Structure formats: structure tokens, C-alpha cells
Amino acid sequence: MKKPLRNMLIKTKISPPAHFHDLVERLRLIQKLNTTKGGQLVVLTAPTGYSKTTLVSQWVQSSNRPFAWLTLDHKDNDPGRFWRYLFTALSNQSLTLPELTPELISEHCPSTLINAFTQQTDIASSEMPFVLVLDDFQSVFNEIILEQLNELLNFLPSNLTIIITTQIQPELKLSRRRSKHQVIELNQDQLAFTRDESDQYIRHLVNRPLSEQILESLHSKTEGWPAGIQLLSIVIDQTDLTHPQFDLSTPISFFDDEVLSNLPSEIQSFLLNTAFLPWLHPELCNEVLEINQSEQLIQQLSQRNLFLVKYGETWRYHDLFKEALLSHASETAQHRHRAAHWFQRNDFPSRAIDQYIQLQEWQEVALIMAQEAREKITNGEQMTVDGWLRALPQDWQQDRPRLLALRSAIHMSNSQFEESHNYLEIAKKQFHVYQNSAEKRDAALLSNEDMQEAQKEITIIESFLAMFRGDYKAVQSLSVAALQSPTSTPNLDIYAQLPLSHAYVHQGKLHDAQILLETIIQQGMHDNLAFPALIGITNIVPIYHVLGKLDQALELIERVTLWHNKSSTPSVYAPWLNGMKAMIYREQGKIIEAKTHIQEVIDYIPDTTDPLQIIPIYAMAAHMFRTCRENEKSEHLLRQGLLVQEQHQITEWLFAFPRLTTLLHIKDIVAGNEAPLKAWLHENEQRLLNKSGYLLESERLILARVYLTLSQIDEALALADTIEQDAREGGRRLNQAKALTIGAMTHATNHKFTESIQYLNQALLICEQNGLTQVLLEEGPHAKGLLQIAQPHCSNPDYVDFLLAEFDRQDALFPDSTPKTQPNAAFPTSKPVQSLVEPLSKREQQILELISQGLKNQEIADQLFVSVTTVKTHVHNIYGKMEVRNRTAAVAKARELQLLAG
């Protein structure tokens, strides 16, 4: 029953209210909305009861524009929750919006939203208009969300309209949009009913004829306030409107005397005892009131037009009516207890906590938090958990280790490691107090199982903190200790395994890390735990990448994406699915696809404050834009990342990619700028020579490349050989191929042709077998020149042909004006490098000349007056004597050996 209820309530948030045929058709405002164009923002601002939602619902459901709808409440002021619900609303329109495919919208985070609307997607390029409605926007005032929306508004495509309904002026930057006529604003005066609309509405609501004078009086006194008219309509049939003491200036004043008192006692009791509920579901109301006719009572309320709003299969009170009810509400502690129990049983823990906070039952709040807070934090809803903790009495939580551990986890998730450590130390001390005092433990209602779980949670947090400070020996011992600690909480071990897998990576035990991460991902998917599954995928794909398992990586990404699309636990880490896919696509040479996916990850940067997410995003994105020859953008991203690193004082490098300062110098390697490379070498040489290991391997490869650029041939070759051996022994095929490529280029620079070809053939074999297309391509003109000259001597010239074609394709796609040094892989070509073991015959020499002119076998046969079979035999002999496999290689080698005329 849990999941259907949860899905039903999500549906109510992403569906517009029912559009009843008897509502007023507000043609003048509908026509105003019809004039909206793509790229515009529409803001409807008015107090409660001005039918903002009804108007927009009428319009979107009667127009031909596809739309997505999201109704907000105060819980949605959390960035993680806000964006996940927004993407659920967008995903609901996938059938009508080809660009919002499950792959695109499954990420449940703002990066995908902004990318979907601003990058090369169907919605951005299509001429079909699209509408996004954010209803009850006054619930959102979080600065992070507002800043994200401002950014989105800056890049609205020409076919998108965003509509906001709100009770107060939204804190969005609208001045520039106003000056460019990109915003339409409807306020209280414009939303109020005209006299005709007021008359039409009253006649729908009232079952007796009304005089023109009364209609005019109603409209005048209410000033066209739709909610006021609706409220008065409840008592119009029973009231003498011509009585001298009848005052319509404040319609809400009639609630006590005319609305509530005139209702049957059964209805009155239902209203007053359910006013505290966030929504009215028949099962919930039955349990709270201990009755069995809630569904019938709700229907009666609806028929009486008592300010009920229906969304899907549930209802809620109109805010105005709810406010009036709450001033007279008569719910008891028992009512709230029953509601809390129902929410717990039906998997709505946040709602249960709300009730227990009102009841000031802190023990119950703490118990539910212990069960739910971990998932909330890992899914990016730290603010929600922080709000729960702040609701607890400060002195009450100071001596409870699990709550202190929660505080530590919240600070850790925000990369506030010092604060996290301080809270954890207090938690550990308090844990020992309880552990050594059965009396204190009993007073706090802590069982032995509670103590075991508290200890395990503290140990897991401690292992994460050890990971963040680079103490991997401590990580391994703490993680193992946590895994050995018994607990009754399911899935807790999976959180202990995550830092352990990182320790394996740091130690270069990639196969061990792979096995552990595959287990984490599988369990996370099986138990619907988004955080471990998605963190697992972001950690394992780089491992697959360096091991050369690209197809396996893509298959796993697709499997996790499919699971995540169907999962009810979205996560802020979801954009990393696109980042991982971009990494693999780039290595396969699918640069356009990779760039599209990486942009979605870049757009996620404003939506997180975690530097341990931001820094690798900047590095990954900068590398991608360097591949696309967008050098200025690449450098800008790296410098932004350095600012984050400096701001958060990230000194321990946790990532399996070069430091940002090192990546900044790639441009100098390409351009051959020796001065900055010498400065970098002075600062980093000893650090990279004195330490090795997997996490430093990519940066050590750059050191070897710097040596080559600075013509330090011996140092370049020695380091490349060392890396090649380490990578080969560790099965890291990507880094092995890179080291061999650098070795080949180094030998070529040193004019050692035979050795260069030997290294190059090994690199090509690894690349071809593992689909590592980009290894040679990323070396630019140096590698291209090497391939062109060495092709006749390569073991697989057809693969070299493929790579050279890829060079040309990427050069055409991404022209680069950056000055480059000439390829230093220049083999001597002024004299034959070597002679043929057996010289060509006169006829073979003749046929070789015709081949070089581009003639086909039949054309050669016609010109020489021989059969095609004879030509084929000679061609076969030519290949054998020249040790080549195709015409292109034969011609290249012939030119090298100066066997062709001219």
C-alpha cells in the first residue's frame, strides 16, 4: 500500500487541479495568456483566493501547448526536494515532449533541467511551444533555489514559457526581463473578477435568483475577490442580504456565524478535527477520527463548495478556509498521534515527524530521524534534517550520540570537515558515557541494539572523515571494524563499504575496488538506495575506463539509468550518470555526444555547495572542452575549480585525475611554451617522482609529456617506461597505452625509428582491442605526424587509417587557432630507411606505379593488356616483398624507399 499512496501524492503535486465545466471562463485573462511567447516569464501575484491556480489550470488545459505542472508547499523549499519534484513533473510529459527522454530527465536535478532548456536538445530547437507552471511559488524562498531559477531564466529558449503563481512578489531578478518585455505580470487588480465574471460565478454557486442590486452589492463589497464571493455564496441562500446590519466588507467575518454554525454537527466536527492535516485522504481521516465514512463526508464538503481543492485522488483545504478552520480547530493529542502513526505506517516519515514535533514528543522524533535522516542527507536534503534537529530542544540532543552523529554527518555532507569532526568527537565521548552507565542508557530509552547502531554509525562517519583527509590506513581499519559490528538496521553495511572501496582505489587495488563497487551498486538497486548506487557508479566507471572496459561501463550506466528512472528515491548525484557516460563517449571518439552529456554536469555546479563534487566536475569538463579545442572555456573552468579548492582549503587530493594546476599547463605542452612548463616542473617534479600509485599515475604521465616537450629525452623515456610497467602489472590498459604512446613519440624525437615503431605498435594494439580511440588523438599533431610517417611499418595499417581519419574529422569539427609546435616525430625521409629483402620485378615496379596513380586492378589490366588475375598475383607479391597489407601502405612505403618516380 505504501508505494501506491506515495505515487498518488506525487501525482497530486504534478497535476493541475480538476477543470470543472461550471467554473468561470475568464476570457480576458485567457486571451492575455494566449499572447505569451516563448522565452517569457508570466507571474501571477495576488493574495489567497484570487483564483490564480484555477486561471492557469484553465489555460494550460485548454491550449494546445504541452505543459508540466508542479504545485509547491513549504517542504519544497529544500533544493534537493524542489528539483526532484520538478523533474518528476517534467518526466510526466515525456510522451508529448520527445526531447524529455527518460535518459535526459531521469537525473532529477537542476543541471539536467537547465541543460534541457538551453542546450542542443529537442525542446530547445523545436518550434513547438512548451509551458512550465510553478504553482504556489510563495513557498519557495531558499536563496539557492532562487539563484538557480534566475540562472535558468537567463537562458530560456524561444519556445518555453514559465508561469509562476504566488501570493507575494517572487525574489527573482526581473528588471532586465521587464526592459526587454520578457515578463508578463498579473496582479491582484487584474486577477479580481470583473462585474460580469462575478455575476457568472455567483449564479454558478447560488441556487436562487438574485436581483441586479444584490449582484452589484456583492461585487462591490468583495471588490471582485473570488474567494470572498465563494465564501459568501455558502450563506447567501440562508441570509437576508438586504438587512441593514449585513456587512460584506469583510466576508471572512461571516465564517463563525454564518458558515460553520449552519453546517450539520457531523460536518463541523470533521472540519475542525481534520484542519491540522496536510491533505485529506479517506483512509487517513478515518483513522484519525476513528470513523469509516470520511470519503462520504469529503464528498459532501465538495458538494457544498467548502473550499476543497482536489488533486488526483486526494483533497486539501483551500488555504483561506484552512486558516479560518485552524482558528477554531479542536484536534486533540490523540488525533495527532493517530495521524503520526498512519504517516509512519504508510511511509511518510517527514509528515510523522511534523506531528511529533507539534506534540513535543522528542523521543519519537529522534527515533524516526535515526531511521530516515541518513537517506535524506545522502539525497541532498540536509536542510530538512537540519530543520528536524533545530526543532529539538538544544539541551535534549546534546547528550544523545546518534543525534550528535547526525549533526556530524550534515556538516560532512556540506564539506565542513572541522565542524563534522568536532561533533563526532562529542558523539564518541557521549557514547562511552552511555556505554558505561546502564542507568543513563535506560533513562534515555536506549537498547543494546540502539547502542550498537550508534557505534556503527559513528565508525562509518569516522571512516568517511579519514578518507577526506587522505588517511587510507585509517579508512581501511575503520571500515572493516564497522562491517564487523553487528546491527539490526538493514543496509547499514553498504555505507561502510563506500570508503573502503575508495581505499582500495588509492592503493591501486582496482580489481578489488571493482568487485566491491559492483556489490554496492547491485545492493543499492535491489534495496532502492539511490546514494550508494549512484556513488558506486561514479566510482566504478573511472575504474572500467582505465582498465579498458568501455563497453562494460556503458552497459552498467544504462542499467543504472533504467533503474533510476523507475526509482522512487531520486538523488542529487544523478547528473553524474551523464558525466560518466560523457567520459566513455569521449574515449570512444564520440565527442559530440560526450559534450552534450558533460554540459548537464556543468550546469549542476550552481546547485551544490560540495567542493568534492564541484572540483572533479570542473576537471572533467575542462578536459572535455580541451578536446573540443575550446581552450579559453577549458581554462576558465579550471580556474573556477581552483577558486573552489582554495576557498575550501582542499589540500589532500582524492581524485584519480591530475591536479587542476597541472591541467592548466596542457595548453603549454600543445603550444610548446617552455617557460611556464619549466616553472611547473620546478614545483611538481619531486612530488611526482617521489610518489607513485594509481591516483598519481595520470599526473605522472603529464610529467613525462612535459619532459618530452622540454627535450629531456632520457627523463621522459625512463618515466614513461616505469609507468608502462606499473600500469601493465595493474591491468590499467588506458594508462599503459598512454605511456607507450609517449615512449613512441620520445624515441621518434630521438630519431630511433625501430624503437618508436615497436612502442607505437604496442600502443595501437591496446587501443584497438579496448576501443581507446582518444589516446593518440589527444596528443594532437605530434601523434598525427608520427602515425602518418610510421603507417607503412605498423602492424595494423587499417587501424592507423581509421585514426588518421578521426584526426581529420575532429579537426573539421573543432578547428583550433591555438599555435602549435611542429610535430617532433620527424623520421628521416631523404634517403631510404631500409631496403627490401627481395627487390621488385620490372612488372611489379610498373604495377606499383599505376597503383600509386589510383588505378584499380581492372584498369591496370586494361592498360598493360594482361588479365585481372595476373594483376592480382603481382599485387599480392608486391605486398609480400614490402611487408604491407594494403595499397595505401604500399604506396607510403614505396615513397619512403624512393621506389616511385618523382
Side-chain angles (χ1 to χ4, degrees):
M1 186 171 99
K2 294 180 181 181
K3 185 162 283 188
L5 278 173
R6 178 175 290 278
N7 292 340
M8 175 270 292
L9 289 171
I10 291 175
K11 184 177 180 181
T12 66
K13 292 179 68 67
I14 65 174
S15 302
H19 178 196
F20 300 109
H21 69 279
D22 59 345
L23 293 176
V24 176
E25 294 291 342
R26 312 189 70 183
L27 296 179
R28 62 185 177 88
L29 296 177
I30 294 292
Q31 290 172 356
K32 179 74 172 177
L33 293 175
N34 283 337
T35 65
T36 60
K37 299 178 295 184
Q40 284 188 322
L41 171 69
V42 181
V43 182
L44 288 75
T45 307
T48 298
Y50 273 85
S51 297
K52 303 180 292 293
T53 298
T54 301
L55 169 64
V56 176
S57 175
Q58 285 181 351
W59 181 67
V60 296
Q61 293 184 81
S62 61
S63 71
N64 293 324
R65 307 187 193 190
F67 68 91
W69 185 288
L70 176 60
T71 299
L72 302 163
D73 59 43
H74 71 284
K75 294 283 187 181
D76 300 322
N77 196 42
D78 182 282
R81 179 184 172 96
F82 174 87
W83 289 109
R84 290 203 308 278
Y85 275 124
L86 181 52
F87 269 83
T88 302
L90 290 168
S91 67
N92 198 43
Q93 302 304 314
S94 58
L95 292 177
T96 55
L97 292 174
E99 69 279 7
L100 296 179
T101 61
E103 177 183 335
L104 181 63
I105 65 174
S106 67
E107 314 309 60
H108 294 265
C109 69
S111 64
T112 307
L113 172 68
I114 295 174
N115 185 64
F117 292 154
T118 61
Q119 301 303 314
Q120 297 179 3
T121 60
D122 292 340
I123 192 169
S125 59
S126 170
E127 296 182 359
M128 177 178 289
F130 183 74
V131 177
L132 171 62
V133 179
L134 301 177
D135 191 27
D136 284 343
F137 192 76
Q138 71 278 350
S139 302
V140 174
F141 49 85
N142 182 282
E143 292 182 1
I144 296 175
I145 299 175
L146 293 173
E147 187 60 34
Q148 293 165 358
L149 286 174
N150 279 319
E151 183 69 17
L152 173 60
L153 292 174
N154 288 335
F155 297 98
L156 284 185
S158 59
N159 62 326
L160 172 66
T161 300
I162 294 182
I163 299 181
I164 289 175
T165 74
T166 177
Q167 295 177 19
I168 59 176
Q169 185 68 30
E171 296 185 22
L172 297 173
K173 299 173 183 178
L174 302 181
S175 299
R176 186 171 63 85
R177 301 193 70 81
R178 290 188 181 110
S179 66
K180 295 184 177 182
H181 306 289
Q182 293 176 336
V183 60
I184 295 177
E185 297 176 272
L186 299 177
N187 58 28
Q188 176 177 331
D189 292 339
Q190 294 162 305
L191 291 168
F193 278 171
T194 64
R195 169 62 194 280
D196 288 343
E197 291 170 340
S198 179
D199 290 355
Q200 183 183 357
Y201 191 48
I202 293 170
R203 289 192 177 101
H204 279 311
L205 298 175
V206 178
N207 294 321
R208 68 176 184 178
L210 299 174
S211 67
E212 184 69 19
Q213 182 180 1
I214 292 177
L215 291 172
E216 171 61 32
S217 178
L218 282 169
H219 178 72
S220 176
K221 297 295 185 180
T222 60
E223 298 180 346
W225 181 32
I229 296 171
Q230 184 181 3
L231 181 60
L232 285 174
S233 70
I234 299 171
V235 296
I236 283 177
D237 283 337
Q238 305 171 20
T239 306
D240 183 2
L241 300 180
T242 62
H243 193 281
Q245 296 182 352
F246 189 77
D247 183 7
L248 294 175
S249 60
T250 54
I252 195 62
S253 66
F254 286 91
F255 177 80
D256 295 347
D257 298 331
E258 303 296 345
V259 179
L260 196 60
S261 61
N262 288 330
L263 292 172
S265 60
E266 186 181 38
I267 295 290
Q268 287 188 44
S269 176
F270 183 86
L271 290 171
L272 297 177
N273 290 323
T274 58
F276 75 99
L277 294 174
W279 25 260
L280 305 177
H281 187 277
E283 292 180 13
L284 170 61
C285 296
N286 280 342
E287 179 154 337
V288 168
L289 302 180
E290 295 186 312
I291 60 177
N292 58 12
Q293 67 265 33
S294 292
E295 187 168 4
Q296 294 84 348
L297 292 171
I298 292 172
Q299 289 298 328
Q300 290 182 44
L301 292 174
S302 175
Q303 293 166 5
R304 290 173 178 270
N305 294 314
L306 281 181
F307 288 82
L308 283 187
V309 180
K310 185 174 184 181
Y311 290 95
E313 300 175 21
T314 192
W315 300 77
R316 67 174 175 86
Y317 291 123
H318 188 287
D319 290 342
L320 177 69
F321 193 52
K322 185 181 182 73
E323 183 180 346
L325 284 174
L326 285 173
S327 66
H328 300 276
S330 57
E331 86 278 357
T332 65
Q334 287 76 15
H335 290 136
R336 287 193 179 274
H337 270 291
R338 295 175 197 139
H341 293 159
W342 189 90
F343 287 134
Q344 278 185 273
R345 192 170 63 252
N346 288 279
D347 198 25
F348 298 106
S350 297
R351 298 295 188 182
I353 287 177
D354 291 342
Q355 299 305 316
Y356 285 126
I357 288 175
Q358 292 298 319
L359 292 165
Q360 297 188 6
E361 295 191 4
W362 311 126
Q363 187 71 28
E364 294 295 332
V365 173
L367 288 174
I368 302 177
M369 285 175 59
Q371 299 168 2
E372 301 296 331
R374 187 188 314 115
E375 185 176 355
K376 290 285 185 184
I377 292 172
T378 54
N379 282 339
E381 295 187 52
Q382 298 96 316
M383 291 178 62
T384 299
V385 180
D386 188 57
W388 293 343
L389 288 169
R390 291 179 187 278
L392 294 170
Q394 191 67 24
D395 57 347
W396 192 88
Q397 54 179 306
Q398 281 301 321
D399 61 348
R400 284 165 172 78
R402 297 191 76 180
L403 296 182
L404 292 165
L406 270 182
R407 278 284 182 199
S408 175
I410 290 173
H411 284 297
M412 183 177 65
S413 66
N414 290 326
S415 297
Q416 298 167 329
F417 301 121
E418 184 176 353
E419 294 89 339
S420 177
H421 172 76
N422 292 339
Y423 271 105
L424 192 66
E425 288 301 308
I426 299 172
K428 288 164 65 177
K429 290 179 182 178
Q430 196 59 45
F431 174 80
H432 290 302
V433 170
Y434 280 107
Q435 191 177 39
N436 298 322
S437 175
E439 183 178 348
K440 285 181 175 291
R441 191 163 64 247
D442 292 340
L445 302 178
L446 289 173
S447 65
N448 288 331
E449 287 184 353
D450 294 329
M451 293 298 291
Q452 288 174 349
E453 289 186 10
Q455 183 175 24
K456 188 159 190 165
E457 289 169 349
I458 289 171
T459 305
I460 290 173
I461 295 172
E462 197 169 10
S463 70
F464 271 101
L465 287 174
M467 181 186 76
F468 292 136
R469 68 174 181 266
D471 187 354
Y472 292 99
K473 184 176 181 180
V475 170
Q476 187 151 353
S477 63
L478 288 165
S479 297
V480 171
L483 290 169
Q484 292 174 345
S485 175
T487 179
S488 60
T489 301
N491 305 320
L492 196 53
D493 283 349
I494 197 172
Y495 294 95
Q497 292 170 335
L498 283 169
L500 180 59
S501 69
H502 202 85
Y504 286 155
V505 170
H506 175 78
Q507 296 163 1
K509 300 177 180 178
L510 298 193
H511 293 287
D512 292 339
Q514 175 189 335
I515 293 170
L516 184 56
L517 287 167
E518 286 172 346
T519 301
I520 290 171
I521 294 167
Q522 186 62 35
Q523 184 181 344
M525 293 168 61
H526 180 270
D527 296 331
N528 214 27
L529 299 173
F531 172 75
L534 293 173
I535 287 295
I537 193 74
T538 61
N539 287 338
I540 201 172
V541 168
I543 293 175
Y544 283 148
H545 182 203
V546 78
L547 295 177
K549 300 179 179 181
L550 304 189
D551 291 339
Q552 192 171 343
L554 280 177
E555 187 276 332
L556 184 58
I557 293 170
E558 292 299 337
R559 187 152 51 89
V560 174
T561 300
L562 181 63
W563 163 78
H564 192 266
N565 290 347
K566 299 176 181 179
S567 171
S568 61
T569 56
S571 169
V572 295
Y573 293 89
W576 286 88
L577 287 169
N578 277 327
M580 297 301 100
K581 191 173 292 186
M583 178 190 299
I584 302 303
Y585 279 158
R586 178 196 168 278
E587 196 60 59
Q588 293 177 329
K590 301 175 183 177
I591 308 301
I592 297 297
E593 297 93 327
K595 186 179 179 183
T596 299
H597 285 288
I598 204 67
Q599 186 61 51
E600 299 176 17
V601 188
I602 296 173
D603 292 333
Y604 174 59
I605 291 175
D607 309 315
T608 179
T609 57
D610 184 357
L612 297 179
Q613 291 189 62
I614 294 174
I615 291 173
I617 289 175
Y618 277 126
M620 190 187 307
H623 194 39
M624 178 62 64
F625 285 109
R626 173 66 62 186
T627 301
C628 299
R629 322 287 173 85
E630 298 183 38
N631 301 323
E632 290 185 3
K633 191 168 186 177
S634 175
E635 183 168 347
H636 172 74
L637 289 168
L638 289 172
R639 296 198 181 280
Q640 290 295 109
L642 283 170
L643 289 176
V644 175
Q645 182 181 327
E646 182 179 348
Q647 178 184 355
H648 293 272
Q649 299 180 345
I650 304 295
T651 56
E652 181 63 35
W653 204 244
L654 305 173
F655 318 111
F657 56 81
R659 295 170 186 256
L660 304 184
T661 50
T662 300
L663 291 174
L664 271 172
H665 288 282
I666 298 292
K667 68 179 189 303
D668 297 315
I669 293 175
V670 174
N673 299 327
E674 293 191 0
L677 292 180
K678 288 179 179 178
W680 176 88
L681 190 64
H682 178 74
E683 294 179 5
N684 295 277
E685 184 176 26
Q686 291 307 311
R687 172 177 66 85
L688 295 174
L689 290 179
N690 293 339
K691 290 184 179 181
S692 58
Y694 166 62
L695 289 181
L696 282 177
E697 202 161 69
S698 57
E699 196 167 7
R700 282 160 58 84
L701 283 165
I702 292 177
L703 173 60
R705 192 65 180 79
V706 169
Y707 281 148
L708 175 57
T709 304
L710 296 177
S711 299
Q712 295 181 218
I713 302 301
D714 293 340
E715 291 89 342
L717 192 58
L719 183 55
D721 285 344
T722 299
I723 296 172
E724 189 277 333
Q725 180 179 346
D726 291 343
R728 173 164 32 88
E729 292 174 354
R732 299 186 291 275
R733 308 292 278 167
L734 175 68
N735 290 349
Q736 184 187 0
K738 288 184 175 182
L740 286 166
T741 300
I742 293 173
M745 294 167 60
T746 305
H747 279 303
T749 302
N750 206 27
H751 302 286
K752 294 185 177 180
F753 175 78
T754 302
E755 292 86 345
S756 178
I757 291 297
Q758 186 178 22
Y759 275 70
L760 184 61
N761 276 330
Q762 292 181 61
L764 290 171
L765 180 62
I766 294 172
C767 291
E768 184 179 14
Q769 289 178 340
N770 297 276
L772 302 172
T773 303
Q774 206 64 27
V775 168
L776 279 98
L777 295 179
E778 67 184 11
E779 292 294 346
H782 299 277
K784 185 177 182 179
L786 173 60
L787 287 172
Q788 288 172 331
I789 296 171
Q791 184 187 37
H793 310 280
C794 291
S795 56
N796 190 346
D798 290 339
Y799 184 63
V800 176
D801 278 340
F802 163 74
L803 290 177
L804 290 172
E806 279 296 298
F807 268 113
D808 293 339
R809 186 179 71 87
Q810 291 192 19
D811 286 342
L813 282 172
F814 310 113
D816 185 7
S817 59
T818 303
K820 307 178 188 67
T821 57
Q822 293 299 314
N824 55 12
F827 297 116
T829 56
S830 58
K831 59 182 180 180
V833 177
Q834 63 184 50
S835 301
L836 296 179
V837 176
E838 181 181 353
L840 300 179
S841 67
K842 184 176 181 180
R843 176 64 81 181
E844 289 167 350
Q845 182 73 40
Q846 195 176 20
I847 290 176
L848 180 60
E849 291 282 353
L850 295 175
I851 288 175
S852 70
Q853 297 171 23
L855 272 65
K856 298 179 180 179
N857 287 345
Q858 184 63 60
E859 294 171 335
I860 294 173
D862 293 341
Q863 186 164 331
L864 297 178
F865 302 100
V866 297
S867 69
V868 173
T869 301
T870 300
V871 172
K872 289 181 178 179
T873 300
H874 285 304
V875 169
H876 177 75
N877 293 336
I878 292 170
Y879 289 176
K881 292 179 179 181
M882 300 187 71
E883 299 180 329
V884 297
R885 298 183 181 182
N886 56 40
R887 287 170 169 247
T888 303
V891 172
K893 187 166 185 177
R895 294 192 188 285
E896 179 188 348
L897 299 177
Q898 301 179 2
L899 297 178
L900 296 174

